[in-house]
Amino acid sequence: MRVRKRPGAEELLAAHPEYVVAGPEQWQGKWQERFGNDHPIHIEIGTGKGQFVVGMAKANPEINYIGIEMQVSVLSIALERALEEKLPNLQLLHVNGEELTQYFAENEVDQIYLNFSDPWPKKRHEKRRLTSKSFLAVDEKIIKPNGEIHFKTDNRGLFEYSLSSFSKYGMILEQVWLDLHASPYEGNIMTEYEEKFSAKGQPIYRVEARFQSEEV
């Protein structure tokens, strides 16, 4: 999806290194040092405008959150939200989600969130889907044993593909929601897309999938 360039976005990101981490590869294996505590680390791949990750950081001060986003313009909006809330447990990375092993050490991340990822519906683009085998292999390298991916989407095709992909990879489907907002699930923090799609009456799909540890 093409994003309209936002004037001053790059300058805003550069002006706040306390939130937007310059040279994040230098913190590989040392993110708890960056946060100044030993709290669990949760990352969101594809943070967008930051409504979800900022909301999660505000609701769960005992967890460190890292939002990852490639688009400068939307990341600048996420930064503005972070600045407004003054959250010490939130960091933002302007990096590619395909290169996570450059920024996180083995087993450094406790949990991963994928929210309303690009469905890449054409078969030839399958490898670009964030729930494809190649991406799961990267996620598995940085996440702790038995770590989980929490995935939400409005796209039924992508959801069905993702359930199959998780299962084929050997992951355990802990919980599955076919209509999240009609369920008794508590504590859901919506993304911008989620608000938009649910307002139109579209069901929101959600799954919690866990990697299986090889440890006995």
Side-chain angles (χ1 to χ4, degrees):
M1 179 182 68
R2 177 172 293 181
V3 178
R4 181 179 299 176
K5 186 174 182 180
R6 191 181 189 212
E10 292 184 4
E11 292 78 6
L12 179 63
L13 297 184
H16 291 282
E18 74 276 19
Y19 278 112
V20 184
V21 185
E25 60 277 355
Q26 67 183 307
W27 294 102
Q28 183 191 49
K30 299 184 292 185
W31 283 103
Q32 289 184 331
E33 180 180 331
R34 168 84 183 187
F35 283 102
N37 58 55
D38 60 356
H39 297 169
I41 294 173
H42 291 194
I43 68 174
E44 182 189 18
I45 304 173
T47 288
K49 297 178 181 178
Q51 181 168 303
F52 176 83
V53 76
V54 169
M56 291 293 284
K58 184 177 180 180
N60 304 288
E62 73 285 358
I63 297 174
N64 295 325
Y65 290 88
I66 299 176
I68 298 169
E69 175 59 51
M70 288 183 61
Q71 300 287 349
V72 171
S73 292
V74 291
L75 187 60
S76 69
I77 298 174
L79 172 59
E80 289 179 341
R81 284 181 162 147
L83 291 169
E84 183 177 346
E85 296 293 344
K86 297 180 174 63
L87 298 167
N89 61 328
L90 175 63
Q91 296 283 274
L92 302 172
L93 305 187
H94 176 225
V95 299
N96 191 327
E98 296 181 11
E99 303 166 349
L100 296 179
T101 53
Q102 295 184 25
Y103 313 112
F104 300 98
E106 183 177 355
N107 304 148
E108 188 171 20
V109 173
D110 293 82
Q111 193 161 291
I112 296 172
Y113 300 97
L114 302 174
N115 293 314
F116 299 87
S117 308
D118 194 321
W120 294 105
K122 295 182 179 179
K123 181 63 177 177
R124 68 176 184 272
H125 293 152
E126 178 182 354
K127 290 186 178 180
R128 298 185 184 183
R129 299 171 194 162
L130 294 185
T131 54
S132 67
K133 180 180 178 180
S134 57
F135 277 100
L136 294 180
V138 172
D139 295 341
E140 187 177 25
K141 290 178 181 178
I142 66 169
I143 204 165
K144 290 184 177 179
N146 299 308
E148 295 185 356
I149 291 178
H150 291 189
F151 174 63
K152 284 197 292 187
T153 183
D154 69 302
N155 189 296
R156 178 172 173 173
L158 178 61
F159 191 68
E160 292 174 348
Y161 167 85
S162 300
L163 294 180
S164 175
S165 182
F166 292 149
S167 296
K168 289 178 180 178
Y169 198 82
M171 299 177 72
I172 301 296
L173 303 182
E174 296 284 6
Q175 296 190 80
V176 177
W177 292 263
L178 299 180
D179 191 346
L180 179 64
H181 293 182
S183 77
Y185 179 80
E186 297 181 357
N188 181 52
I189 291 180
M190 291 199 287
T191 74
E192 295 87 356
Y193 281 117
E194 187 172 354
E195 287 184 342
K196 175 182 177 181
F197 296 138
S198 61
K200 295 180 179 180
Q202 294 178 231
I204 303 301
Y205 307 100
R206 186 177 188 271
V207 59
E208 296 178 0
R210 176 172 57 84
F211 288 100
Q212 292 194 72
S213 173
E214 295 181 358
E215 299 175 359
V216 179

